[in-house]
Amino acid sequence: MITSTNKEAYPNTLIVILGHDEGRSSFEEKEDVTRVTNDKGETIGFNFFNVDKLIDFDKLPNGPVKLSDDELEALNKKLAEVGFDDKLEYGKPTLVYGYVKTCEKHPDSDHLHVTTIEVGDGEEHQIVCGAPNIAQGQKVVVALPGTLMPNGAQIWPGKLRGVDSYGMICSARELGLPHAPQKRGIMVVPDSFEVGAEFEPTKCDELIASGEITL
């Protein structure tokens, strides 16, 4: 579940994304809530308008929002009140530390690599990466499908030069870290970081500033 605001374009609105829209979307409005469904009738999102009636909109950041338990409960109460049967739930973290288990050259590119990334609990995903410093054995930050990046980009499964890619291996700049190096390359984190644990931006930025993470 991705929750976010865009305070300039959509004032007093909370956007909730539950799935990837790959075709034509349909919209159903009930009072201050609009449900978005895909062409299979599956719910892929909600827009909550006049959301300051439910939660303190002024305190929400502009961009990705991490809902508190009370805020989530308020949104679910509103869904029930207007007549939607859906219930919003927290998902697993989608921006996590991963381990580069394999790294091979892309069959149709001289700069891309096809990697196998362990992301915890026995999960492995194939991710195509274009960073020049990607290598087997690294620990990295992985944006899995369902991630909303600091620049507003959403991460979903796709193909790069015909090869399936299930996420993105991130650079410090893509993660929006204040001390991010300005040269190209993914951020490699210390071996002590736990695979599958949720990305900690403040901790990583401090390590970059101290020189313990160099890219």
Side-chain angles (χ1 to χ4, degrees):
M1 179 176 69
I2 296 173
T3 50
S4 68
T5 64
N6 185 331
K7 293 191 173 184
E8 293 184 3
Y10 306 106
N12 206 6
T13 301
L14 183 70
I15 301 165
V16 179
I17 301 172
L18 302 174
H20 189 199
D21 182 10
E22 297 180 338
R24 180 175 296 178
S25 301
S26 298
F27 302 88
E28 182 181 3
E29 297 180 13
K30 292 186 179 183
E31 297 182 20
D32 288 334
V33 183
T34 297
R35 177 168 64 180
V36 186
T37 55
N38 61 18
D39 52 10
K40 298 177 182 177
E42 300 165 334
T43 301
I44 58 172
F46 286 96
N47 293 328
F48 290 85
F49 303 101
N50 298 314
V51 76
D52 61 356
K53 297 178 181 178
L54 308 175
I55 59 179
D56 191 340
F57 183 76
D58 290 337
K59 289 186 177 180
L60 298 181
N62 186 34
V65 173
K66 193 168 186 177
L67 296 173
S68 68
D69 291 345
D70 289 343
E71 290 167 340
L72 184 66
E73 182 180 354
L75 297 179
N76 279 324
K77 184 178 179 181
K78 182 64 176 179
L79 289 178
E81 285 178 355
V82 302
F84 287 122
D85 295 332
D86 307 81
K87 186 173 182 180
L88 304 178
E89 298 178 344
Y90 294 122
K92 294 196 305 182
T94 58
L95 200 55
V96 300
Y97 303 120
Y99 174 74
V100 184
K101 184 177 180 180
T102 67
C103 181
E104 305 289 342
K105 289 185 176 180
H106 190 291
D108 190 34
S109 171
D110 60 1
H111 72 280
L112 296 175
H113 288 82
V114 181
T115 68
T116 304
I117 307 294
E118 297 178 358
V119 293
D121 296 329
E123 281 189 53
E124 295 181 357
H125 298 297
Q126 178 172 281
I127 298 177
V128 179
C129 179
N133 63 322
I134 185 70
Q136 183 179 358
Q138 294 170 333
K139 284 190 176 178
V140 294
V141 179
V142 181
L144 296 171
T147 300
L148 180 65
M149 299 298 291
N151 66 359
Q154 297 172 20
I155 305 301
W156 299 108
K159 289 179 182 287
L160 285 173
R161 291 284 188 94
V163 175
D164 291 333
S165 186
Y166 194 84
M168 181 175 74
I169 303 172
C170 304
S171 70
R173 281 189 296 175
E174 289 165 333
L175 294 165
L177 300 183
H179 293 94
Q182 295 307 301
K183 57 183 179 179
R184 187 166 168 260
I186 51 104
M187 183 174 71
V188 181
V189 301
D191 288 339
S192 59
F193 280 33
E194 180 186 355
V195 172
E198 187 170 8
F199 166 63
E200 302 162 286
T202 300
K203 179 178 180 179
C204 286
D205 193 57
E206 289 173 351
L207 291 176
I208 292 173
S210 68
E212 292 183 60
I213 293 177
T214 57
L215 189 63

